[in-house]
Amino acid sequence: MHRHGYKGRKFGRETDQRLALRRSLMCSLIEHQSITTTLAKAKEIRRGTEKLITIAKKGGLANRRLVIARLNSIEMGDLLVDVIAPQIKRDSGYLRIERAGFRRGDNAEMGTISFVDEISLEAPKAEEPKTAKKATLAKKEAK
């Protein structure tokens, strides 16, 4: 018997638990920009999160809905599409995993996963069009 064609790690969990674990780790990563977890989990969520970032960078309603469906969180999906994705300038390799030693209880290898680029969580402010300001000033001066 061989394991050809099977992707992903099992983590000793059933399918629905594994999916919920990945979703919650991806949401935490998007919310906090950096999380520390076991190295295997960090490597596993990097695959899914980088694909989500690529989808979010394309923009559009359909891609926004795809991101929200995969994260199962409207807030985190909107944060990724509206705030984080526009700040990322590179085409791939959005995340970095650094080894963070071993966990004290079971000696599991830990890793910190974070964004490569610096990201601020403040939403970009919408600027008023300059032509509108000029038009209102012109009307005031005409009176």
Side-chain angles (χ1 to χ4, degrees), residues 11 25 37-47 97 111-113:
F11 298 129
L25 285 173
T37 182
T38 61
L39 193 63
K41 289 176 187 170
K43 287 179 178 180
E44 188 66 24
I45 66 167
R46 177 174 55 183
R47 295 171 57 223
I97 297 177
T112 301
I113 182 168

Side-chain angles (χ1 to χ4, degrees), residues 13 31 33 49 72 76-77 89 124:
R13 290 170 167 83
E31 183 178 3
Q33 276 76 55
T49 308
N72 221 16
M76 292 303 116
K89 303 298 181 216

Side-chain angles (χ1 to χ4, degrees), residues 50-140:
E50 289 202 354
K51 289 178 183 178
L52 278 183
I53 294 169
T54 303
I55 292 171
K57 283 182 68 169
K58 293 177 184 174
L61 182 61
N63 289 326
R64 178 184 297 268
R65 287 178 174 170
L66 277 173
V67 169
I68 290 171
R70 292 193 186 165
L71 286 176
N72 221 16
S73 170
I74 295 173
E75 296 83 16
M76 292 303 116
D78 288 342
L79 179 68
L80 181 62
V81 173
D82 294 333
V83 179
I84 296 174
Q87 294 181 33
I88 297 176
K89 303 298 181 216
R90 54 185 71 230
D91 293 331
S92 63
Y94 313 115
L95 300 173
R96 159 191 308 135
I97 297 177
E98 297 171 343
R99 293 173 189 262
F102 296 91
R103 190 161 51 195
R104 184 173 178 189
D106 59 355
N107 209 30
E109 192 169 8
M110 302 296 285
T112 301
I113 182 168
S114 60
F115 286 96
V116 174
D117 297 330
E118 283 295 319
I119 295 172
S120 64
L121 285 182
E122 296 176 9
K125 297 178 183 175
E127 296 181 15
E128 293 181 26
K130 294 180 181 179
T131 57
K133 287 183 181 178
K134 289 180 182 177
T136 55
L137 289 175
K139 287 181 184 177
K140 288 181 182 178

